[in-house]
């Protein structure tokens, strides 16, 4: 038996949701709708799938360790030099690398809670202290409270925007003011995994600021809107100090050949991507309208998901998650995300969303 260190014991385990196959087998179902992991309901675009298939013959060779071709295209897209772009095995790897590079025992990392589950382990893994600042009543980061928790020990601040699991979005003016109030040399990471689904006109401004502020890193992913979570590819744009720090801890060949090829091809079809994104946003609004009609409270979302109450009167109904499973609908139990009394439902196809709403109506009747 392997006995871990106290630091290892302090790291919470990430618990993924059930797969469709597991639910089908458990309850003897022929059809299961998975709306729990904020995935795209659409597979890769046909051109992307074709590029992946064509590249498979070269898998006997290592990938380009620095993802030069992909970084060049991303740099052109965002108006930066390729030296300001880093590619990761999903944007989650870049977040983990930030913890490895910047945190030491006796230092702190400041982030909101509840938010993406990957932030909390950063501190434990490095022996640092995690400062989890509660969200405000609207599901947004309490930026004033976060700024107040920054001191001489702070080595990293993380902002998830839009926030997961609430879907709440911080406007660019407010976020810029927050950044203005922090030390110029304090590394700040803005996690924009769900940026594609934001409808606010200022949604790209943080990426623009990353061209000007050396302490800012903005991360994005191909796992959500692009529908490529199975290949794990994300990227970050930031100052030279940020990129150098991450490259020092980046594993060799961390982004696979297929991931790089798929991302490159996906970037050639941004018009098709935008069509899919608009469909998801339209469905998000439709589901929200139905929930409002059913008098089930929810947080207005800028992601491809909605965080909703499990009852009309605000009481916690933890069994609702399990009862929907028995009907073949997989949603994320809010208790596992730090928000008991709520469920997070991803936005699927119209047919999948109809199945969810019908099952939900039957259960709360």
């Amino acid at each position: 038996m392997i006995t871990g260190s106290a630091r290892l014991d302090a790291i919470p385990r990430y618990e993924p949701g059930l797969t469709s196959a597991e639910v089908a087998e458990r309850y003897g179902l022929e059809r299961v709708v998975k709306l729990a992991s904020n995935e795209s309901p659409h597979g890769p675009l046909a051109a992307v799938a074709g590029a992946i298939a064509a590249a498979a013959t070269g898998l006997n060779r290592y990938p380009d360790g620095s993802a030069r071709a992909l970084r060049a295209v991303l740099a052109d897209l965002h108006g930066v030099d390729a030296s300001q772009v880093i590619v990761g095995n999903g944007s989650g790897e870049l977040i983990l690398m930030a913890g490895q590079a910047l945190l030491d025992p006796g230092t702190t990392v400041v982030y909101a809670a509840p938010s993406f589950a990957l932030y909390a382990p950063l501190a434990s893994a490095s022996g640092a202290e995690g400062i989890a600042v509660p969200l405000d009543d609207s599901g947004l980061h309490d930026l004033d409270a976060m700024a107040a928790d920054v001191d001489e020990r702070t080595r990293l601040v993380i902002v998830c925007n839009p926030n997961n699991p609430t879907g709440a979005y911080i406007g660019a003016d407010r976020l810029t003011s927050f950044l203005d109030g922090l030390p110029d040399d304090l590394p700040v990471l803005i996690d924009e995994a769900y940026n594609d689904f934001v409808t606010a006109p200022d949604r790209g401004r943080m990426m623009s600021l990353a061209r000007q502020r050396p302490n800012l890193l903005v991360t994005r992913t191909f796992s959500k809107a692009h529908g490529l979570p199975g290949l794990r590819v994300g990227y970050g744009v930031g100052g030279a100090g940020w990129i150098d720090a991450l490259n020092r801890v980046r594993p060799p060949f961390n982004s696979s050949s297929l991931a790089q090829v798929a991302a490159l091809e996906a970037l050639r079809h941004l018009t098709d991507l935008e069509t899919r994104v608009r469909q998801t946003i339209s469905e998000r609004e439709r589901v929200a309208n139905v929930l409002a009609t059913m008098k089930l409270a929810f947080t207005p979302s800028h992601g491809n998901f909605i965080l909703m109450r499990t009852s009309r009167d605000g009481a916690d109904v933890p069994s609702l998650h399990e009862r929907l499973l028995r009907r073949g609908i997989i949603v994320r139990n809010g208790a596992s995300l730090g928000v008991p009394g709520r469920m997070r439902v991803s936005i699927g196809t119209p047919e999948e969303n109809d199945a969810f709403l019908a099952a939900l109506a039957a259960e709360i009747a």
Side-chain angles (χ1 to χ4, degrees), residues 239-314:
W242 254 115
I243 304 304
D244 178 66
L246 296 181
N247 272 324
R248 288 176 182 269
V249 296
R250 180 176 61 84
F253 310 113
N254 64 317
S255 178
S256 75
S257 301
L258 297 187
Q260 293 179 40
V261 164
L264 275 168
E265 189 63 32
L267 291 171
R268 297 186 181 103
H269 302 276
L270 294 180
T271 300
D272 294 330
L273 172 72
E274 185 59 30
T275 298
R276 287 185 169 187
V277 167
R278 286 198 301 268
Q279 291 172 350
T280 297
I281 292 172
S282 177
E283 280 297 292
R284 181 183 71 196
E285 294 173 351
R286 183 175 74 89
V287 171
N289 289 335
V290 175
L291 293 178
T293 300
M294 298 169 70
K295 301 189 185 308
L296 286 166
F298 59 90
T299 304
S301 176
H302 281 269
N304 65 336
F305 56 87
I306 294 176
L307 185 70
M308 55 171 288
R309 289 279 185 180
T310 55
S311 69
R312 291 189 174 102
D313 60 7

Side-chain angles (χ1 to χ4, degrees), residues 81-261:
D81 188 83
S83 64
Q84 291 181 261
V85 182
I86 187 168
V87 173
N89 184 23
S91 59
E93 184 191 38
L94 299 178
I95 295 167
L96 291 173
M97 286 160 52
Q100 287 180 285
L102 301 175
L103 300 177
D104 292 305
T107 65
T108 70
V109 51
V110 178
Y111 53 88
S115 195
F116 184 35
L118 203 57
Y119 306 151
L122 296 183
S124 301
S126 61
E129 179 185 357
I131 308 295
V133 181
L135 300 175
D136 66 19
D137 293 339
S138 62
L140 280 168
H141 288 55
D142 188 336
L143 296 179
D144 291 338
M146 291 180 68
D149 278 324
V150 170
D151 58 25
E152 68 279 359
R153 301 174 302 150
T154 308
R155 295 295 179 271
L156 177 62
V157 174
I158 304 176
V159 176
C160 185
N161 195 38
N163 187 48
N164 175 23
T166 63
Y169 174 73
I170 308 169
D173 287 344
R174 187 178 174 198
L175 194 48
T176 301
S177 295
F178 169 70
L179 295 173
D180 288 342
L182 299 178
D184 291 340
D185 60 350
L186 175 61
V188 179
L189 190 155
I190 309 292
D191 180 354
E192 291 191 342
Y194 300 95
N195 176 75
D196 292 289
F197 305 103
V198 175
T199 55
D202 62 2
R203 71 173 188 174
R205 200 186 301 174
M206 289 303 106
M207 188 63 81
S208 297
L209 283 181
R211 299 197 293 262
Q212 309 162 17
R213 300 194 179 213
N215 68 321
L216 183 62
L217 181 79
V218 176
T219 60
R220 292 188 183 172
T221 183
F222 287 84
S223 293
K224 305 304 178 184
H226 290 276
L228 295 172
L231 284 180
R232 313 302 301 123
V233 57
Y235 66 97
V237 175
W242 254 115
I243 304 304
D244 178 66
L246 296 181
N247 272 324
R248 288 176 182 269
V249 296
R250 180 176 61 84
F253 310 113
N254 64 317
S255 178
S256 75
S257 301
L258 297 187
Q260 293 179 40
V261 164

Side-chain angles (χ1 to χ4, degrees), residues 298-358:
F298 59 90
T299 304
S301 176
H302 281 269
N304 65 336
F305 56 87
I306 294 176
L307 185 70
M308 55 171 288
R309 289 279 185 180
T310 55
S311 69
R312 291 189 174 102
D313 60 7
D316 184 2
V317 185
S319 61
L320 182 58
H321 163 70
E322 184 69 27
R323 281 152 45 193
L324 289 173
L325 277 182
R326 295 177 183 276
R327 293 178 178 270
I329 308 295
I330 309 175
V331 299
R332 193 66 185 239
N333 184 4
S336 68
L337 303 171
V339 278
R342 293 172 175 83
M343 300 186 311
R344 190 190 67 192
V345 55
S346 305
I347 302 301
T349 65
E351 295 75 19
E352 290 172 335
N353 298 330
D354 286 342
F356 160 70
L357 292 170

